[in-house]
């Protein structure tokens, strides 16, 4: 059974940083596309970042240059480092995973106009105050 459990959210001031973590279990990382989604109140779900099994990453334009997604395979943990946070980054952040390789559709399922990965967690809240 695939499980994704996020942690690390919190409240920070504009310009601050946070590192979100996601512990994963129930699947083999080798072929999955993994990443992060977010959803602000009243807004559509938005893809933030994705990482392929070979470490290749892609980011939404809204966070490019401020976000880094990485995986620690030994710890079965996915991270999202967010720097220079802005009030518009305020949202619930969800860890996401899809059994399709990123280059075979996974990127689109996580970062496309209507994110729909097969699995995601319960989320961790990030609040950025100005």
């Amino acid at each position: 059974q695939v499980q994704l459990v996020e942690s690390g959210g919190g409240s920070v001031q504009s310009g601050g940083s946070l590192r979100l973590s996601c512990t994963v279990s129930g699947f083999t990382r080798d072929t999955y596309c993994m990443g992060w989604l977010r959803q602000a109140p009243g807004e559509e779900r938005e893809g933030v970042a994705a990482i392929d099994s070979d470490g290749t990453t892609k980011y939404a334009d809204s966070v490019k240059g401020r976000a880094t997604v990485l995986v620690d395979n030994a710890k079965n943990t996915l991270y999202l480092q967010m720097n220079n946070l802005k009030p518009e980054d305020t949202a619930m952040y969800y860890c996401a995973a899809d059994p399709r390789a990123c280059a075979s559709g996974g990127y689109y399922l996580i970062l496309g106009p209507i994110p729909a990965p097969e699995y995601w967690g319960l989320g961790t809240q990030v609040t950025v105050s100005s």
Side-chain angles (χ1 to χ4, degrees):
Q1 181 180 357
V2 174
Q3 287 191 321
L4 308 170
V5 181
E6 303 93 338
S7 62
S11 297
V12 297
Q13 291 193 322
S14 183
S17 298
L18 279 176
R19 187 177 78 162
L20 307 182
S21 301
C22 172
T23 55
V24 305
S25 61
F27 64 95
T28 302
R29 160 91 182 103
D30 290 355
T31 58
Y32 273 60
C33 188
M34 298 193 65
W36 293 89
L37 314 176
R38 67 184 181 185
Q39 188 166 20
E43 301 289 333
E44 297 293 326
R45 192 163 57 228
E46 175 191 21
V48 177
I51 183 166
D52 206 347
S53 56
D54 66 357
T56 303
T57 57
K58 288 186 183 290
Y59 298 93
D61 288 343
S62 57
V63 302
K64 204 169 289 184
R66 302 187 297 118
T68 302
V69 60
L70 63 156
V71 172
D72 185 331
N73 289 314
K75 296 182 178 179
N76 291 326
T77 302
L78 176 75
Y79 300 98
L80 180 68
Q81 176 71 41
M82 292 282 294
N83 300 322
N84 191 21
L85 283 159
K86 305 175 182 181
E88 51 264 41
D89 293 317
T90 294
M92 185 72 80
Y93 283 71
Y94 300 91
C95 178
D98 194 275
R100 278 151 285 209
C102 286
S104 300
Y107 281 135
Y108 186 81
L109 288 167
I110 293 176
L111 295 173
I114 306 176
E118 186 158 342
Y119 305 103
W120 63 85
L122 296 178
T124 185
Q125 178 67 39
V126 172
T127 303
V128 185
S129 57
S130 57

